[in-house]
Short mmCIF file of all heavy atoms in Angstrom, two decimals:
data_model
loop_
_atom_site.label_atom_id
_atom_site.label_comp_id
_atom_site.label_asym_id
_atom_site.label_seq_id
_atom_site.Cartn_x
_atom_site.Cartn_y
_atom_site.Cartn_z
N ALA A 1 77.87 206.04 62.28
CA ALA A 1 77.44 205.76 63.64
C ALA A 1 78.50 204.90 64.32
O ALA A 1 78.98 203.92 63.73
CB ALA A 1 76.11 205.04 63.62
N LEU A 2 78.91 205.28 65.51
CA LEU A 2 79.87 204.48 66.27
C LEU A 2 79.13 203.72 67.35
O LEU A 2 78.19 204.23 67.95
CB LEU A 2 80.94 205.39 66.93
CG LEU A 2 81.80 206.21 65.99
CD1 LEU A 2 82.74 207.11 66.80
CD2 LEU A 2 82.61 205.33 65.07
N THR A 3 79.55 202.48 67.59
CA THR A 3 78.95 201.70 68.64
C THR A 3 79.35 202.27 69.99
O THR A 3 80.29 203.08 70.08
CB THR A 3 79.38 200.23 68.57
OG1 THR A 3 80.78 200.16 68.85
CG2 THR A 3 79.08 199.60 67.22
N LYS A 4 78.71 201.81 71.05
CA LYS A 4 79.06 202.28 72.40
C LYS A 4 80.54 201.93 72.70
O LYS A 4 81.26 202.76 73.25
CB LYS A 4 78.17 201.62 73.44
CG LYS A 4 78.45 202.05 74.86
CD LYS A 4 77.52 201.39 75.85
CE LYS A 4 77.93 201.80 77.26
NZ LYS A 4 77.10 201.16 78.27
N GLU A 5 80.98 200.74 72.30
CA GLU A 5 82.37 200.35 72.53
C GLU A 5 83.34 201.23 71.77
O GLU A 5 84.39 201.62 72.29
CB GLU A 5 82.59 198.88 72.14
CG GLU A 5 81.87 197.88 73.03
CD GLU A 5 80.38 197.71 72.69
OE1 GLU A 5 79.93 198.22 71.64
OE2 GLU A 5 79.68 197.06 73.49
N GLN A 6 83.00 201.55 70.53
CA GLN A 6 83.85 202.44 69.73
C GLN A 6 83.88 203.85 70.34
O GLN A 6 84.95 204.47 70.39
CB GLN A 6 83.35 202.51 68.29
CG GLN A 6 83.55 201.22 67.52
CD GLN A 6 82.82 201.22 66.19
OE1 GLN A 6 81.72 201.77 66.06
NE2 GLN A 6 83.40 200.57 65.19
N MET A 7 82.74 204.31 70.81
CA MET A 7 82.69 205.63 71.44
C MET A 7 83.58 205.66 72.70
O MET A 7 84.36 206.60 72.88
CB MET A 7 81.26 206.00 71.83
CG MET A 7 80.33 206.23 70.67
SD MET A 7 80.54 207.82 69.86
CE MET A 7 79.72 208.92 71.02
N MET A 8 83.49 204.63 73.52
CA MET A 8 84.30 204.59 74.73
C MET A 8 85.78 204.55 74.41
O MET A 8 86.60 205.18 75.07
CB MET A 8 83.90 203.38 75.60
CG MET A 8 82.46 203.43 76.10
SD MET A 8 82.01 204.97 76.93
CE MET A 8 82.91 204.80 78.44
N PHE A 9 86.14 203.81 73.37
CA PHE A 9 87.54 203.71 72.96
C PHE A 9 88.06 205.03 72.41
O PHE A 9 89.17 205.48 72.73
CB PHE A 9 87.72 202.59 71.93
CG PHE A 9 89.14 202.37 71.50
CD1 PHE A 9 90.03 201.71 72.33
CD2 PHE A 9 89.60 202.83 70.28
CE1 PHE A 9 91.35 201.52 71.95
CE2 PHE A 9 90.91 202.63 69.90
CZ PHE A 9 91.79 201.97 70.74
N ALA A 10 87.26 205.70 71.59
CA ALA A 10 87.69 206.92 70.90
C ALA A 10 87.62 208.16 71.77
O ALA A 10 88.12 209.21 71.36
CB ALA A 10 86.87 207.12 69.65
N LEU A 11 87.03 208.10 72.94
CA LEU A 11 86.84 209.28 73.77
C LEU A 11 88.14 209.95 74.16
O LEU A 11 88.20 211.19 74.23
CB LEU A 11 86.06 208.92 75.03
CG LEU A 11 84.57 209.10 74.94
CD1 LEU A 11 83.90 208.59 76.20
CD2 LEU A 11 84.18 210.53 74.66
N ASP A 12 89.18 209.21 74.43
CA ASP A 12 90.39 209.84 74.93
C ASP A 12 91.64 209.07 74.54
O ASP A 12 91.97 208.05 75.12
CB ASP A 12 90.32 209.98 76.45
CG ASP A 12 91.36 210.91 77.02
OD1 ASP A 12 92.26 211.36 76.26
OD2 ASP A 12 91.29 211.20 78.21
N PHE A 13 92.34 209.57 73.55
CA PHE A 13 93.61 209.00 73.09
C PHE A 13 94.81 209.79 73.61
O PHE A 13 95.85 209.80 72.99
CB PHE A 13 93.66 209.05 71.54
CG PHE A 13 92.85 208.02 70.82
CD1 PHE A 13 91.97 207.17 71.46
CD2 PHE A 13 92.99 207.88 69.45
CE1 PHE A 13 91.24 206.25 70.77
CE2 PHE A 13 92.26 206.97 68.75
CZ PHE A 13 91.39 206.12 69.39
N ARG A 14 94.69 210.46 74.74
CA ARG A 14 95.79 211.30 75.22
C ARG A 14 96.98 210.51 75.74
O ARG A 14 97.99 211.07 76.08
CB ARG A 14 95.31 212.29 76.26
CG ARG A 14 94.44 213.39 75.66
CD ARG A 14 93.97 214.35 76.68
NE ARG A 14 92.99 213.72 77.54
CZ ARG A 14 92.48 214.30 78.63
NH1 ARG A 14 92.86 215.49 78.98
NH2 ARG A 14 91.58 213.65 79.34
N LYS A 15 96.86 209.20 75.78
CA LYS A 15 98.00 208.36 76.11
C LYS A 15 98.23 207.43 74.91
O LYS A 15 97.34 207.25 74.10
CB LYS A 15 97.74 207.57 77.38
CG LYS A 15 96.49 206.71 77.33
CD LYS A 15 96.19 206.12 78.69
CE LYS A 15 94.93 205.30 78.70
NZ LYS A 15 93.72 206.03 78.41
N PRO A 16 99.43 206.85 74.78
CA PRO A 16 99.66 205.94 73.65
C PRO A 16 98.55 204.89 73.58
O PRO A 16 98.18 204.30 74.58
CB PRO A 16 101.00 205.32 73.95
CG PRO A 16 101.70 206.34 74.77
CD PRO A 16 100.61 206.96 75.64
N THR A 17 98.02 204.69 72.39
CA THR A 17 96.85 203.83 72.21
C THR A 17 97.10 202.84 71.08
O THR A 17 97.62 203.22 70.04
CB THR A 17 95.61 204.69 71.90
OG1 THR A 17 95.43 205.64 72.93
CG2 THR A 17 94.37 203.86 71.75
N LEU A 18 96.74 201.60 71.29
CA LEU A 18 96.84 200.57 70.25
C LEU A 18 95.44 200.07 69.92
O LEU A 18 94.60 199.94 70.79
CB LEU A 18 97.66 199.38 70.75
CG LEU A 18 99.14 199.64 71.04
CD1 LEU A 18 99.79 198.41 71.67
CD2 LEU A 18 99.87 200.04 69.78
N CYS A 19 95.24 199.79 68.64
CA CYS A 19 93.95 199.30 68.19
C CYS A 19 94.16 198.11 67.25
O CYS A 19 94.75 198.27 66.19
CB CYS A 19 93.20 200.42 67.46
SG CYS A 19 91.59 199.91 66.82
N PHE A 20 93.76 196.92 67.70
CA PHE A 20 93.85 195.71 66.88
C PHE A 20 92.48 195.06 66.85
O PHE A 20 91.86 194.88 67.89
CB PHE A 20 94.84 194.70 67.48
CG PHE A 20 96.25 195.17 67.53
CD1 PHE A 20 96.78 195.73 68.68
CD2 PHE A 20 97.06 195.03 66.42
CE1 PHE A 20 98.09 196.16 68.72
CE2 PHE A 20 98.39 195.45 66.45
CZ PHE A 20 98.90 196.02 67.61
N SER A 21 92.00 194.72 65.67
CA SER A 21 90.76 193.95 65.57
C SER A 21 90.61 193.45 64.13
O SER A 21 91.38 193.79 63.25
CB SER A 21 89.54 194.75 66.01
OG SER A 21 89.36 195.89 65.22
N ASP A 22 89.60 192.62 63.93
CA ASP A 22 89.36 191.99 62.65
C ASP A 22 88.95 193.01 61.61
O ASP A 22 88.46 194.09 61.93
CB ASP A 22 88.27 190.93 62.80
CG ASP A 22 88.73 189.74 63.65
OD1 ASP A 22 89.94 189.45 63.64
OD2 ASP A 22 87.85 189.14 64.30
N PRO A 23 89.06 192.63 60.32
CA PRO A 23 88.60 193.50 59.23
C PRO A 23 87.10 193.78 59.37
O PRO A 23 86.32 192.91 59.79
CB PRO A 23 88.88 192.67 57.98
CG PRO A 23 89.93 191.70 58.36
CD PRO A 23 89.69 191.40 59.82
N GLY A 24 86.72 195.00 59.00
CA GLY A 24 85.30 195.35 58.99
C GLY A 24 84.69 195.67 60.33
O GLY A 24 83.48 195.79 60.45
N THR A 25 85.53 195.85 61.37
CA THR A 25 85.00 196.10 62.69
C THR A 25 84.89 197.59 63.04
O THR A 25 84.45 197.94 64.11
CB THR A 25 85.89 195.41 63.76
OG1 THR A 25 87.21 195.85 63.60
CG2 THR A 25 85.80 193.91 63.63
N GLY A 26 85.33 198.45 62.12
CA GLY A 26 85.24 199.90 62.37
C GLY A 26 86.49 200.52 62.97
O GLY A 26 86.43 201.60 63.52
N LYS A 27 87.64 199.82 62.84
CA LYS A 27 88.89 200.38 63.38
C LYS A 27 89.20 201.76 62.82
O LYS A 27 89.50 202.68 63.57
CB LYS A 27 90.08 199.47 63.06
CG LYS A 27 90.14 198.15 63.77
CD LYS A 27 91.36 197.36 63.34
CE LYS A 27 91.44 197.07 61.87
NZ LYS A 27 90.42 196.23 61.28
N THR A 28 89.12 201.88 61.52
CA THR A 28 89.50 203.14 60.87
C THR A 28 88.60 204.27 61.32
O THR A 28 89.10 205.35 61.70
CB THR A 28 89.49 202.99 59.35
OG1 THR A 28 90.40 201.95 58.98
CG2 THR A 28 89.94 204.27 58.66
N SER A 29 87.32 204.06 61.32
CA SER A 29 86.39 205.11 61.77
C SER A 29 86.65 205.49 63.22
O SER A 29 86.64 206.67 63.59
CB SER A 29 84.95 204.65 61.63
OG SER A 29 84.64 204.38 60.28
N THR A 30 86.90 204.49 64.06
CA THR A 30 87.15 204.74 65.47
C THR A 30 88.46 205.52 65.65
O THR A 30 88.50 206.48 66.43
CB THR A 30 87.19 203.42 66.24
OG1 THR A 30 85.98 202.71 66.01
CG2 THR A 30 87.34 203.65 67.73
#
């Protein structure tokens, strides 16, 4: 299950995208 924030982030990576956050926040899944 992705959170609303993760869904919004993962919706469109058609431009260069960076993802930084703490361990265990769901970066890899997103």
Side-chain angles (χ1 to χ4, degrees):
L2 299 177
T3 67
K4 181 180 177 182
E5 292 81 10
Q6 290 169 325
M7 293 283 283
M8 297 308 289
F9 183 76
L11 268 173
D12 194 352
F13 283 8
R14 289 181 289 174
K15 57 188 177 296
T17 304
L18 295 173
C19 179
F20 296 97
S21 61
D22 293 330
T25 56
K27 290 180 302 296
T28 301
S29 298
T30 305

